[in-house]
Amino acid sequence: MRIVDLIEKKRDGLELTKDEIDFIIKGYTEGSIPDYQISALTMAIFFKGMTEDERANLTMAMVDSGDKIDLSQIEGIKVDKHSTGGVGDTTTLVLGPLVAAVGVPVAKMSGRGLGHTGGTIDKLESIKGFHVEIKNEEFIELVNKNKIAVIGQSGNLTPADKKLYALRDVTATVDSIPLIASSIMSKKIAAGADAIVLDVKTGAGAFMKTLDDSRDLAQAMVQIGHNVGRKTMAVISDMSQPLGFAVGNALEVKEAINTLKGEGPKDLTELCLTLGSHMVFLAQKADSLAEARKMLEKAIQDGSALEKFKDFLSSQGGDSSIVDDPAKLPQAAYQIELESKEDGYVSEIVADEVGTAAMLLGAGRATKESNIDLAVGLVLRKKIGDQVAKGESLVTIYSNFEDVNEVKEKLYSNIKITSTAVKAPILIYEEIMK
Ligand code: URA
Ligand code: CA
């Protein structure tokens, strides 16, 4: 086989076979096929697309390029959730203990990464003593005992995807649905998921800005899942404004605690119940989505979800007393209100720009080397559709420096107020099962 012939084949819009895709991914991972040939190939894929079989084969070739996590010692069906990323997305912190409380095993591998706020691990590390440096055996024991544990990303998972993603990033080939879908799915499958619930975000703060693109991506991933034998479904949810109120690490932990108590923001609560119901259903812990939802609502009402969160924290060295006393979380030195300059209705809260404002405070990493300030961030006091009076607070800024003018300017220019009433955006657009 010669790579140049395969580039030509794809350039002409023909279908690559499984053997050909395996050859490409193996050669690229090992270094026998150079970047410039894979650049040409990904550009051909960008224009010609990939068939259903090609997408499934590419996904599994990337899974097979590195280590695979073996979760077979964990009892039950391991359902993983993946979000395509947004601003102030606290769902993982809520969903883990929530579905674990009704018996769904949550074996979460998580990373740090770049972004407006830290990743799930950073957020959890705002709890004193909590750590994810545990051995594989301990991880598995903890999931069997508590139904939930989180471990730091380790090993050599999907090296082909790492290399390919970095190359796509500098060759204008990130925005290809088959390449995005196989990239995301390969990581979930290598991490050991039996079933996958996808939260595909749509809107200004999302990777996919339009509903059509979000739907295409969701369908592509669900289809890959089915073709490689993993039950997969996707929810398309709004990211035109940040989810919930809090954007920041310790602030989101507090928001997650409130939500597990049944006192969380309406949108965050609803999205968690929707995603959670699908997780419980795919894990075969309920016979219908309605039954699954009832189980989750009960776990919030009777306190078992909150208890589960405490057990989870203390099992991994964390101070679980923060759950009853969130004042023990890292606190920012200054709380500054962003006052509305006019009367009216909030019509727009540009999610990614609000995320950038949180990053200016130090809540996220710009580069891998940046330090994160776990205490700082933003808490929205108003969401789209809310009425606001002049002088009333739109956002509370939690900062460790006093001069927050740059942050204020960013927020003022990205929170729009109009004089006429505005409807709140739809939270969940579609649920795609197949
Ligand atoms: N996220 C991923 O993991 N892969 C992509 O290709 C795009 C977004
Ligand atoms: Ca939030």
Side-chain angles (χ1 to χ4, degrees):
M1 236 178 267
R2 290 197 319 158
I3 180 73
V4 63
D5 299 326
L6 303 182
I7 298 169
E8 185 179 306
K9 197 172 171 189
K10 183 44 63 183
R11 183 201 67 193
D12 294 343
L14 300 173
E15 184 178 45
L16 299 171
T17 65
K18 175 176 177 343
D19 285 349
E20 289 167 342
I21 290 173
D22 286 346
F23 170 81
I24 292 164
I25 294 303
K26 192 157 179 286
Y28 188 48
T29 312
E30 288 170 359
S32 58
I33 301 175
D35 278 347
Y36 54 81
Q37 286 184 305
I38 299 299
S39 306
L41 180 72
T42 51
M43 191 56 85
I45 291 172
F46 181 90
F47 284 110
K48 297 292 178 177
M50 286 185 121
T51 65
E52 225 181 277
D53 284 345
E54 284 180 314
R55 296 169 187 204
N57 289 331
L58 175 61
T59 303
M60 292 315 288
M62 294 204 290
V63 170
D64 292 335
S65 72
D67 298 342
K68 280 165 271 186
I69 306 297
D70 179 8
L71 300 179
S72 59
Q73 297 305 308
I74 295 172
E75 300 136 27
I77 299 170
K78 276 71 71 184
V79 188
D80 203 355
K81 186 225 53 158
H82 178 79
S83 158
T84 59
V87 179
D89 187 352
T90 318
T91 52
T92 302
L93 289 179
V94 178
L95 272 173
L98 181 58
V99 303
V102 305
V104 177
V106 178
K108 191 87 192 154
M109 182 177 285
S110 215
R112 291 171 203 279
L114 309 177
H116 301 121
T117 63
T120 299
I121 291 185
D122 297 297
K123 291 175 192 175
L124 287 168
E125 281 177 352
S126 64
I127 297 155
K128 198 167 151 247
F130 185 89
H131 65 96
V132 295
E133 288 79 26
I134 52 178
K135 293 228 163 62
N136 276 341
E137 304 84 70
E138 191 185 355
F139 175 60
I140 287 177
E141 257 170 52
L142 281 175
V143 182
N144 280 332
K145 181 167 145 260
N146 290 337
K147 294 293 170 200
I148 176 168
V150 176
I151 189 169
Q153 220 134 33
S154 71
N156 183 33
L157 287 198
T158 59
D161 173 64
K162 279 200 192 80
K163 225 174 148 180
L164 200 57
Y165 197 5
L167 182 70
R168 287 163 55 210
D169 205 25
V170 293
T171 55
T173 49
V174 168
D175 295 320
S176 154
I177 298 265
L179 293 178
I180 300 169
S182 47
S183 165
I184 292 173
M185 291 300 285
S186 69
K187 285 177 278 220
K188 292 286 118 182
I189 293 166
D194 299 319
I196 301 157
V197 170
L198 299 159
D199 180 15
V200 178
K201 306 287 191 187
T202 193
F207 189 57
M208 292 285 150
K209 311 280 180 208
T210 70
L211 183 56
D212 280 348
D213 284 348
S214 304
R215 184 187 299 117
D216 284 349
L217 178 61
Q219 279 168 343
M221 291 192 288
V222 170
Q223 205 172 57
I224 289 173
H226 283 271
N227 286 339
V228 303
R230 304 301 194 282
K231 281 189 189 148
T232 303
M233 70 79 58
V235 169
I236 301 179
S237 71
D238 180 60
M239 195 36 82
S240 60
Q241 64 178 341
L243 186 67
F245 302 124
V247 184
N249 297 282
L251 294 167
E252 288 185 43
V253 170
K254 192 173 163 196
E255 180 165 78
I257 293 167
N258 287 339
T259 306
L260 288 166
K261 280 183 185 161
E263 298 161 7
K266 239 172 60 193
D267 57 351
L268 176 62
T269 302
E270 178 55 34
L271 183 60
C272 288
L273 287 171
T274 302
L275 294 168
S277 301
H278 284 284
M279 292 173 79
V280 172
F281 181 68
L282 288 184
Q284 296 177 11
K285 295 285 176 189
D287 294 326
S288 69
L289 287 171
E291 185 192 344
R293 188 177 171 112
K294 278 213 191 81
M295 290 161 72
L296 296 175
E297 285 169 346
K298 179 163 174 287
I300 292 175
Q301 278 151 19
D302 68 13
S304 53
L306 201 64
E307 267 322 294
K308 187 55 79 179
F309 192 47
K310 288 185 191 170
D311 290 346
F312 159 61
L313 294 179
S314 49
S315 292
Q316 296 194 222
D319 174 8
S320 63
S321 72
I322 62 107
V323 172
D324 297 315
D325 188 5
K328 288 184 178 169
L329 288 165
Q331 303 289 322
Y334 303 96
Q335 286 182 33
I336 301 151
E337 304 301 330
L338 183 84
E339 291 174 3
S340 179
K341 293 173 176 170
E342 56 202 312
D343 293 331
Y345 299 85
V346 177
S347 62
E348 216 183 321
I349 305 178
V350 184
D352 48 352
E353 295 294 336
V354 170
T356 306
M359 211 158 138
L360 290 174
L361 292 165
R365 282 187 190 86
T367 70
K368 270 188 222 156
E369 287 71 36
S370 331
N371 282 319
I372 273 192
D373 188 338
L374 294 167
V376 304
L378 305 165
V379 175
L380 303 180
R381 300 300 169 195
K382 300 285 173 185
K383 301 257 313 204
I384 296 177
D386 288 348
Q387 196 167 11
V388 62
K390 184 175 172 181
E392 216 183 336
S393 177
L394 291 166
V395 181
T396 307
I397 300 166
Y398 291 78
S399 175
N400 273 328
F401 44 85
E402 197 169 3
D403 178 1
V404 292
N405 281 328
E406 193 188 353
V407 174
K408 280 188 161 180
E409 283 319 307
K410 181 137 228 79
L411 291 171
Y412 274 128
S413 43
N414 288 289
I415 300 177
K416 313 263 162 67
I417 314 278
T418 55
S419 54
T420 48
V422 177
K423 269 215 194 99
I426 291 172
L427 175 66
I428 293 168
Y429 286 93
E430 286 171 27
E431 294 175 31
I432 294 171
M433 327 283 250
K434 176 83 210 254

